[in-house]
Amino acid sequence: MENSRLTDFDASSAADLTDWRVLLGKLSARFATGDFVTGARLVADITKIAESLNHHPDVDLRYPHLSVTTVSHDVGHLTDRDRELARRISAAAAALGVSALPAQVSSLEIALDVRDADAVRPFWAAVLGLDTDEDGDLFDPAGRAPALWFQQMEEPRTERNRFHLDLTLAHDMATPRIEAALAAGGTLVSDDAAPSFWVLADAEGNEVCVCTWQSREGSGEPSAADEGE
């Protein structure tokens, strides 16, 4: 199977991937199975598909739904293998009468403002039981706990909390989620970097960044010049 890289833009605009959303460089989908037996049947179908392609996704089966994530780990990027795997999984879900739930797809990270990441990283790795990736971020090998990354600061930040959440959503689901958060009493701190991320805060100033793949380096988005051609 082809190992050609698939950009975030291409994956998000592909007509055969409408069930799937790009989150942190991976293709993710959630399917409304409704009951455990249907979910198990879909897992069985996914197993057969994965074995036939020799390309295996991460699968999380819960009573009312099934979540699936895929990326080509050997190249550290989405490829056409992920596209074919996702396409076949969607076909298997459709055959079972199972629909996708794109509004429920998200990925949560925790960010900590630090002066010296090397000094604090070992503590957080030990206390949370996380591993360290090549960028110095902490992650759960089982994929259950949120990742923890360290934001380098030149001076101590005193005007806000040093911890904040990074919530990555499907690019077409960010605006509705932001609107819901503002309606629930939140405030918009900054949209300067939108649609890459918006900074929101609760009534006491605790912050969360709502992030998407858009307007990020390597996303594969066409430039304004390209669109004008």
Side-chain angles (χ1 to χ4, degrees):
M1 192 184 305
E2 288 293 327
N3 219 14
S4 302
R5 288 195 171 197
L6 188 65
T7 69
D8 294 347
F9 176 80
D10 289 339
S12 297
S13 57
D16 56 351
L17 295 178
T18 55
D19 290 342
W20 299 78
R21 298 296 187 273
V22 177
L23 300 179
L24 300 176
K26 300 178 181 180
L27 275 176
S28 299
R30 176 170 289 178
F31 297 95
T33 53
D35 59 77
F36 199 80
V37 172
T38 302
R41 288 173 178 165
L42 183 53
V43 171
D45 289 342
I46 292 173
T47 301
K48 293 177 183 177
I49 294 167
E51 286 297 303
S52 69
L53 297 176
N54 192 28
H55 190 47
H56 304 88
D58 292 328
V59 177
D60 183 5
L61 174 61
R62 304 298 177 97
Y63 182 82
H65 59 250
L66 175 69
S67 300
V68 188
T69 301
T70 180
V71 68
S72 296
H73 293 286
D74 54 340
V75 297
H77 204 281
L78 287 174
T79 69
D80 285 338
R81 287 180 291 158
D82 300 295
R83 180 175 187 165
E84 180 62 16
L85 176 64
R87 187 187 67 79
R88 294 196 191 185
I89 291 174
S90 289
L96 290 173
V98 172
S99 58
L101 299 168
Q104 294 187 13
V105 175
S106 65
S107 184
L108 182 65
E109 297 179 298
I110 301 172
L112 175 61
D113 295 342
V114 296
R115 296 286 305 281
D116 186 349
D118 291 337
V120 301
R121 184 183 295 108
F123 167 80
W124 289 108
V127 74
L128 298 177
L130 302 179
D131 289 348
T132 307
D133 68 14
E134 59 185 13
D135 296 321
D137 299 335
L138 304 184
F139 70 97
D140 178 3
R144 303 290 293 178
L148 172 63
W149 66 278
F150 303 97
Q151 182 165 268
Q152 182 64 46
M153 307 300 297
E154 296 303 321
E155 298 294 335
R157 176 169 282 168
T158 58
E159 75 275 14
R160 68 170 216 187
N161 293 334
R162 296 177 69 187
F163 269 112
H164 74 269
L165 304 181
D166 281 348
L167 178 66
T168 300
L169 297 174
H171 69 285
D172 55 342
M173 299 295 168
T175 297
R177 187 71 66 88
I178 290 168
E179 291 174 347
L182 297 179
T187 58
L188 176 64
V189 177
S190 174
D191 59 1
D192 291 346
S196 178
F197 65 90
W198 294 257
V199 183
L200 308 181
D202 66 13
E204 295 189 358
N206 301 299
E207 294 184 358
V208 56
C209 292
V210 177
C211 312
T212 77
W213 62 262
Q214 292 181 308
S215 297
R216 292 178 183 266
E217 184 178 354
S219 67
E221 290 178 280
S223 65
D226 293 333
E227 292 177 343
E229 292 179 353

